Amino acid sequence: MSDAPEVTRGPVVTPVRVVIALCLFAPFVAMLWVGSYAKVDPAFIGIPFFYWYQMLWVLISTALTMVAYKLWQRDQRARKASDGGASQ
């Protein structure tokens, strides 16, 4: 056995990481559930629902990915700060 001190890390699954996963998973569910948007009406400025719904999800996906990235950065900084204080 080694005499090295044990390094304790936080839990792998945290509420922040669950939110990150949901942000990244939501666009896949929305786009793979074709039955929910495979229709023509309601049209928006002459564009059938099928097309503008998908284009809207491009914007939503961008925003959700940005939120997930910012949350991930914050989570990593917090973990580094808590690990740095514990190892000294």
Side-chain angles (χ1 to χ4, degrees), residues 2-87:
S2 173
D3 290 332
E6 286 187 29
V7 176
T8 58
R9 300 195 99 177
V12 175
V13 178
T14 62
V16 172
R17 289 186 174 191
V18 171
V19 170
I20 292 169
L22 289 174
C23 284
L24 297 175
F25 190 64
F28 287 104
V29 172
M31 289 294 93
L32 290 176
W33 186 21
V34 178
S36 70
Y37 63 92
K39 50 191 168 188
V40 175
D41 291 327
F44 176 69
I45 59 171
I47 302 169
F49 181 74
F50 181 79
Y51 294 112
W52 69 257
Y53 178 82
Q54 291 178 65
M55 292 308 296
L56 181 64
W57 268 102
V58 169
L59 300 174
I60 293 169
S61 298
T62 302
L64 289 173
T65 303
M66 215 166 50
V67 167
Y69 178 70
K70 292 297 183 183
L71 287 173
W72 180 258
Q73 282 183 324
R74 194 176 91 191
D75 183 58
Q76 294 298 36
R77 279 194 306 269
R79 282 180 175 268
K80 248 185 208 177
S82 68
D83 286 348
S87 64

